[in-house]
Amino acid sequence: MAIVVNLDVMMAKRKMSLNELSEKVGLTLSNLSILKTGKAKAIRFSTLELICKVLECQPGDLLEYQVDE
Amino acid sequence: MNTKQILSAMKIVSWIIFIGLCIKAGAIIISFCITLFVNAEGASDLYLGLDLSTLYETNKRYFINLTSFIITIDLLKAYLFYLVVKIFTKMNLNKPFSNSLASLITKISYVSFSMGLIAIIASAYNKWLMHKGMTSQLNWESSSYLFMAGIIFIIAVHFKRGIELQTENELTI
């Protein structure tokens, strides 16, 4: 996939577990897992805003564009 | 009456129609077997006044062919309603688009198309027998089956697109 979600990298940097993030953001563990594993087809701005707020980062820290080979 | 009640009512009606069609197909098969192996009088009233006695007396092979067409279409009709009953069983309004439902709808369109083709052949055969003065014109409804097949196929294609949209929606976080 061309857009890579670096949620696990940011979580590791902030030393935050998936459970903790799930509680703080208000998303279910399964939805966060879908996002983390790159299975998600889209992300709402509201979700992105919440994650950025909790992880104290920018959307660019979470999302990365990679050229498909 | 809300949607759930309407669907429940339709499910019951579908069951009744399915059982009715099974009984009809079974009755014709039994009458057909009785006519062939027990009593030739059966041909005069195969099912609710269906009289093919002239055809039976003229040529047994033609009788077998025409009755086989009738039985095949009735069996397919019963199968079609079995699929409709299955749709009502598997239907879930909270998650309306599923692969099993899509395959059932596609199957219904194929069954209906097959029924249309068989009905066209049967109708032509019936006309040929009519020209020979062996039987009267029966109602085969081939165009209705083909029309239904076309409409249901379009619905099936849209349904598949619905599955894609639902999956996309589910994977939007």
Side-chain angles (χ1 to χ4, degrees), chain A residues 31 40-44 47, chain B residues 167-173:
Chain A
N31 274 347
K41 293 250 182 191
I43 180 163
R44 291 189 188 92
T47 312
Chain B
T167 315
E168 232 173 73
N169 189 41
E170 278 168 1
L171 291 175
T172 298
I173 312 297

Side-chain angles (χ1 to χ4, degrees), chain B residues 70-146:
Chain B
I70 296 170
I71 290 169
T72 311
I73 287 174
D74 279 335
L75 285 175
L76 283 173
K77 254 191 224 173
Y79 180 58
L80 198 129
F81 269 89
Y82 168 68
L83 294 176
V84 172
V85 167
K86 252 179 135 180
I87 281 185
F88 283 118
T89 318
K90 289 191 174 180
M91 196 178 263
N92 176 11
L93 282 180
N94 296 324
K95 209 178 163 187
F97 298 102
S98 68
N99 282 319
S100 56
L101 274 187
S103 75
L104 277 174
I105 294 172
T106 314
K107 230 184 226 176
I108 287 178
S109 78
Y110 290 152
V111 171
S112 183
F113 183 68
S114 317
M115 280 167 73
L117 286 185
I118 294 169
I120 285 174
I121 298 166
S123 178
Y125 189 68
N126 189 189
K127 268 182 195 160
W128 180 71
L129 290 175
M130 233 171 70
H131 280 297
K132 290 192 159 199
M134 292 180 195
T135 183
S136 55
Q137 175 70 53
L138 299 172
N139 190 13
W140 296 97
E141 296 167 339
S142 54
S143 51
S144 349
Y145 294 134
L146 289 176

